Amino acid sequence: MKSSTKDTESILTREETRTGLGPETLKRAILNHLFYNQGKFPEIATRNDYYMAMSFAVRDRLLQRWVASVKKYLNADQKIVSYLSAEYLLGPHLANNLINLGIYENMEKASNSLGMNLDWLIAKEQEPGLGNGGLGRLAACYMDSLATLEIPAIGYGIRYQFGIFEQDIKDGWQIEDTDNWLRRGNPWEIAKRELGYDVKLGGYVQHYTDINGKFKANWIPGMIVKGIAYDTPILGYRVNTCNTLRLWKSEAPKSFDFQTFNQGLYSGAVSDKTVCENISKVLYPNDEQREGKILRLQQQYFFVSCSLQDMIAIHLSQGGKIERFYDKFVVQLNDTHPAIGVAEMMRLLVDVYEVEWDLAWDITKKSFAYTNHTLLPEALETWDQDLFQSVLPRHLEIIQEINRRFLDEVTIRTYGDQDLISSLSIISDGPWKKIRMANLACAGSFAINGVAALHSELLKKTVLKDWYQLWPEKFSNKTNGVTPRRWMVLSNPKLSSLISSKIGEGWIKNLDELTGLEQYADDPSFQQEWMVVKHEMKKDLAKRILQRTKIKVDPSSIFDVHVKRIHEYKRQHLNILHVIALYNRIKQNPDAEVVPRTFIFAGKAAPGYHLAKLMIKLITSVADVVNQDPIVKDRIKVVFYPNYNVTNAQRIYPAADVSEQISTAGKEASGTGNMKLSMNGALTIGTLDGANVEIRDCVGAENFFLFGLTEEEVQQKKSEGYNPFDYYMANPELKLAIDQINSGYFSHMNGSVFKDLINSLLYHDQYLVLADFESYVAEQERVAEAYKDKQRWAKMSILNAARMGKFSSDRSIKDYCDDIWKVGPSPVELVDFHQKTQ
Ligand code: GPU
């Protein structure tokens, strides 16, 4: 029945107060939430109460769009991208949502009228640090771009109760503290208590033949956990599309579905509450390092099983046929962490939906695609077969069967090439059998990609060589990207306004439009404005550095930034060796001309990674000596900024002049910090590694400081028998720096502190730090020289930003959509959801 005009009016007014975007309405909404959600009134409300109230007011506005989006995806004959990732490093939601909704200014007015400062409230948010580094942050950028491009998508993952640890520095050492991000509640998520799935773990498998003579498997679990869905709406930029990030929390099941489990010994399966809750308790803090722990495998299986059960339920509820699952969903595996999904899909199809094996395998292979994110051998996931069997006994059988049939196929295709067969095998042979997750992912996927051009090429030559030989047509490259909404508009509003004042706002959704800035690169007044903004941002960061570390830094010095996880292959120690060399030059010649520089480091070390923790101690120790030495006269400063996370990254990138991207060539799959820094006008000093290669191609070799061995030269050197000691002996500056570290010059004359790090450099140096030292130091001289010429520097900085269009995650997502997912935009219109529609 059509509603009368009067009804419509009343709905509109109700809607205006509920989800209107004007400052008055926002103010009223905040006060309402303060009262009805927080039970507070202005006189007694804390800042956190206001933060919560404001967030709920914003969430109301998201929900209207979210419901419209969900409705559209459920009704339409619409394929949905399903992104499976064990990590999402989202960063704070509030400011991002204000920007994407287009209500930042209005909210500023609303909070001012309440006597509140918007920045304070934004700062109240505890960021969800549900990831370690690049891989998790990429997933978050992709969620933003998927929504902005109006692509129907669901991100699936784990709702860790404790995200990545908080880092503090005590006596120069990293100290870890738990990240209790949910302590004060999370206004951005909606718990779907009714939406849960049972997940079996452990136990054993019974085999029997059913009345039709069919061979059947019955998995009797050792325990059952329940996954509860927690949904976070992810709104696109200035569109109505609001996608879902669905994270699973593990709980003990209160009751059981007896139909499903009454065949066996289910009583033992009602497990301990704490054991069940442990599964989604904490994020493993290792970046690119496997942790072969049972709990980690349980986490992976838990979230993947919930997600696949959920997708199947959605598909079937819309009248879809299980055989056509891939018409509804395309499932992207973010590295091998969710690769168990291949076996789980087979189990669901064969055991639960009774699909014939061959058809099930066909459905599975049409549903999954796999992204590889690393070439480091120690990061490739394998599971000890016995451990695997203890957690997933049925999946072991399934993988054995997949493998048996797959190897039969390979044998025929390769005329029995034994080397090829054993390298492609999902289960390694030998006495200690391992399940190789990358092989499972490759075998079960229709597409395989790397994350930068060089990385994708190297994959084909190294870790996935044999897979490439087998199925070259499945391989492609999808160079990573980052969202300009968070990494420019939100974190660098001044630079963004300056850009928009020249070329309009189109670049925010179409980053290629930044090339419009090139025509101003030589314009002295634009250069001046550009550098003024940069200086402002440097002043802001200098203030924070003083607050956080008590170190006073000069905003007119070069801000040389090395921020990322601490890892030997990322070579923070190469950087600090250069700092020591500079310091020694000053000591030897106090009047030497030195372009003032502030070396800013930030990043977390995995708690069990001894050498990475030593690298932090080395940086802070060098800082203590250099920063206080009167002879240096403040010309160089070294800062270790603690607790690098998304919030801190947003403060650091806009203030950077120099971006350190100095990994050993062939080791960094892509890098994404390199992109964010360059977009914000930092100049890169880097190796030909990961996406650096493409960044340099785009910004021009003359606007990029290149040094170091190429990947081929690295391989060559290694095969010739690389001896780091020769480099140590041959370069006096290098030798002096290492000798000083060794002698305790930076550690109160106790040289033994750094002995493991030094021994590793002098006698192994698998990342060729010493081999690249000389060329690095030489290139750093060119950096300093370039900085002296303010106009030249400004021009280079502008051109860097102007030419970064390719590195928007919008471009990456378009590439995935066109080449792999075959999904296009599906714009959402707002619906009046108070009216029940059919
Ligand atoms: N990466 Br594998 C991680 O951050 N963690 C991991 O466990 C693995 C990869 C990173 C790569 O190191 C980085 O080069 C890349 O840009 C990023 O994934 C996203 O692809």
Side-chain angles (χ1 to χ4, degrees), residues 206-219:
Q206 282 177 337
H207 295 105
Y208 64 97
T209 312
D210 73 5
I211 42 168
N212 302 317
K214 251 185 102 179
F215 184 74
K216 286 271 179 66
N218 183 26
W219 177 13

Side-chain angles (χ1 to χ4, degrees), residues 195-472:
L195 191 63
Y197 297 96
D198 288 330
V199 176
K200 303 197 234 182
L201 290 164
Y204 60 95
V205 184
Q206 282 177 337
H207 295 105
Y208 64 97
T209 312
D210 73 5
I211 42 168
N212 302 317
K214 251 185 102 179
F215 184 74
K216 286 271 179 66
N218 183 26
W219 177 13
I220 314 293
M223 71 187 252
I224 291 165
V225 296
K226 195 175 184 74
I228 306 288
Y230 280 72
D231 286 352
T232 302
I234 306 287
L235 178 69
Y237 179 77
R238 311 285 155 97
V239 289
N240 293 325
T241 296
C242 186
N243 285 329
T244 302
L245 177 62
R246 178 161 286 175
L247 303 179
W248 303 102
K249 174 179 190 278
S250 63
E251 290 187 0
K254 295 221 167 50
S255 63
F256 266 84
D257 178 353
F258 278 84
Q259 293 311 323
T260 315
F261 297 120
N262 66 4
Q263 301 99 327
L265 300 166
Y266 49 77
S267 63
V270 185
S271 290
D272 205 72
K273 187 168 172 315
T274 33
V275 174
C276 290
E277 288 178 356
N278 268 346
I279 291 179
S280 62
K281 184 127 302 203
V282 59
L283 167 76
Y284 276 96
N286 311 326
D287 185 72
E288 315 227 20
Q289 249 183 324
R290 311 186 317 98
E291 176 90 52
K293 296 269 166 63
I294 282 192
L295 181 61
R296 170 77 175 174
L297 180 61
Q298 290 175 335
Q299 287 187 335
Q300 296 183 347
Y301 176 63
F302 162 73
F303 98 87
V304 167
S305 177
C306 290
S307 309
L308 283 171
Q309 292 187 58
D310 193 44
M311 285 178 251
I312 291 174
I314 292 171
H315 178 55
L316 297 182
S317 75
Q318 292 174 241
K321 296 228 177 332
I322 189 78
E323 292 79 15
R324 306 292 292 187
F325 175 83
Y326 49 81
D327 284 343
K328 186 69 195 171
F329 287 102
V330 54
V331 184
Q332 190 69 37
L333 303 172
N334 198 24
D335 214 83
T336 55
H337 318 144
I340 186 62
V342 170
E344 173 66 355
M345 187 73 186
M346 286 300 285
R347 185 189 72 84
L348 290 166
L349 290 171
V350 173
D351 291 359
V352 180
Y353 293 94
E354 307 195 310
V355 177
E356 292 298 332
W357 183 281
D358 285 322
L359 180 57
W361 186 234
D362 185 62
I363 298 166
T364 301
K365 279 200 296 182
K366 285 183 170 141
S367 303
F368 287 90
Y370 159 54
T371 307
N372 172 290
H373 294 263
T374 186
L375 295 158
L376 299 186
E378 66 268 32
L380 292 177
E381 286 193 301
T382 61
W383 293 102
D384 186 273
Q385 182 175 284
D386 293 342
L387 181 149
F388 189 94
Q389 184 172 32
S390 74
V391 179
L392 301 170
R394 178 59 183 145
H395 295 77
L396 178 61
E397 293 180 352
I398 288 171
I399 288 172
Q400 284 167 336
E401 184 62 12
I402 292 173
N403 200 36
R404 189 181 65 76
R405 291 171 181 242
F406 169 66
L407 292 184
D408 280 351
E409 188 191 317
V410 174
T411 307
I412 294 166
R413 283 191 54 175
T414 67
Y415 306 103
D417 181 333
Q418 281 309 312
D419 287 347
L420 211 55
I421 292 169
S422 82
S423 121
L424 291 172
S425 179
I426 302 168
I427 306 172
S428 70
D429 28 57
W432 302 105
K433 290 199 168 31
K434 303 253 188 207
I435 316 297
R436 300 158 160 172
M437 301 310 274
N439 288 22
L440 179 62
C442 286
S445 294
F446 67 86
I448 301 166
N449 74 283
V451 291
L454 175 67
H455 170 238
S456 297
E457 282 310 305
L458 291 174
L459 276 181
K460 296 195 269 186
K461 289 190 193 141
T462 62
V463 282
L464 300 182
K465 175 164 151 261
D466 299 322
W467 294 94
Y468 179 62
Q469 245 191 61
L470 187 68
W471 292 323

Side-chain angles (χ1 to χ4, degrees), residues 133-135 138 287-288 335 373-374 451 480 569 668-672:
L135 174 134
L138 186 77
D287 185 72
E288 315 227 20
D335 214 83
H373 294 263
T374 186
V451 291
N480 285 166
Y569 87 78
E668 189 70 272
S670 164
T672 45

Side-chain angles (χ1 to χ4, degrees), residues 463-501:
V463 282
L464 300 182
K465 175 164 151 261
D466 299 322
W467 294 94
Y468 179 62
Q469 245 191 61
L470 187 68
W471 292 323
E473 68 284 359
K474 290 191 184 180
F475 281 73
S476 74
N477 171 245
K478 298 286 168 282
T479 297
N480 285 166
V482 302
T483 170
R485 272 74 65 184
R486 183 175 292 271
W487 298 113
M488 297 183 75
V489 180
L490 167 57
S491 51
N492 205 345
K494 288 180 183 152
L495 196 73
S496 300
S497 316
L498 175 60
I499 293 171
S500 298
S501 73

